[in-house]
Amino acid sequence: MNRRQVAGSLLGAAVLGAAPGLALAQRRAPTDRMKMPILMGGDFSTATSKLATRKARDPAVREFAKLEITEQAAVAEAFGARPGEAGLRPDQAAIVAELEAANGAMFDMMYIDGQIAGHRELLDLHRRYARGGSDPMARGASLVGVTGIETHLFLLQNIKRQIA
């Protein structure tokens, strides 16, 4: 390798080191169709959880919502996306609108029920992606995500019993 090649390699490494997100985004853009339902489910969970951080009456509901927002941002990053980038399906947007209109204990129960349904859907999607997804980083996130979602479902069922 000559000096120009070495210098070029070092320059390239420095640029990539300075902008690791750029390099990852270029390699892992959410182009495969198996990612979109997962990302949309995450965006739904994030949108409803943002409402819950403001509107939930029960402290456990608010705390779960904060954790969910953080987790969905990490999943989106592992899938080569930004939170909110995939958007919502029409049925998800309708649920968000219903939650915006709800208050108090009714809001809390609607939020938890929506999270349970959304987590069940995401559990199936992540299981499938962990088995057959094309992006190794996203596959790893899905593999770990399955146990996290199962834990969330347990937490959500307990919160539901507490607020019922």
Side-chain angles (χ1 to χ4, degrees), residues 48-138:
T48 57
S49 293
K50 284 181 178 178
L51 284 174
T53 62
R54 289 187 293 110
K55 296 183 72 169
R57 185 177 71 171
D58 189 274
V61 174
R62 282 193 308 276
E63 194 58 34
F64 181 86
K66 290 178 199 172
L67 295 171
E68 188 65 17
I69 292 166
T70 302
E71 183 171 283
Q72 289 305 327
V75 171
E77 184 176 337
F79 272 67
R82 289 185 310 267
E85 188 174 37
L88 303 176
R89 299 185 316 242
D91 62 313
Q92 293 169 328
I95 293 169
V96 170
E98 288 175 19
L99 280 169
E100 286 174 342
N103 291 303
M106 186 171 133
F107 173 89
D108 288 2
M109 189 58 77
M110 287 174 64
Y111 169 75
I112 293 297
D113 285 341
Q115 287 296 308
I116 290 170
H119 276 71
R120 286 180 179 153
E121 182 179 327
L122 282 170
L123 181 60
D124 181 52
L125 293 168
H126 277 285
R127 281 181 175 148
R128 279 191 262 149
Y129 200 90
R131 284 191 308 265
S134 63
D135 179 338
M137 181 176 259

Side-chain angles (χ1 to χ4, degrees), residues 3 10 16 19 28 33 39 44 61 69 73 81 83-84 86-88 111 117 119-120 123 141 154 156-157:
R3 276 188 249 187
L10 291 174
L16 290 178
R28 296 182 294 104
R33 287 192 273 179
L39 291 168
F44 170 73
V61 174
I69 292 166
L88 303 176
Y111 169 75
H119 276 71
R120 286 180 179 153
L123 181 60
F154 177 79
L156 288 162
Q157 292 293 348

Side-chain angles (χ1 to χ4, degrees), residues 87 103 144 152:
N103 291 303
V144 172
H152 280 202

Side-chain angles (χ1 to χ4, degrees), residues 135-160:
D135 179 338
M137 181 176 259
R139 245 187 6 258
S142 283
L143 187 63
V144 172
V146 166
T147 58
I149 294 167
E150 290 170 340
T151 301
H152 280 202
L153 284 167
F154 177 79
L155 291 170
L156 288 162
Q157 292 293 348
N158 283 329
I159 293 170
K160 183 174 180 167

Side-chain angles (χ1 to χ4, degrees), residues 31-42:
T31 55
D32 80 52
R33 287 192 273 179
M34 288 179 74
K35 286 183 177 181
M36 285 310 288
I38 292 170
L39 291 168
M40 291 175 92

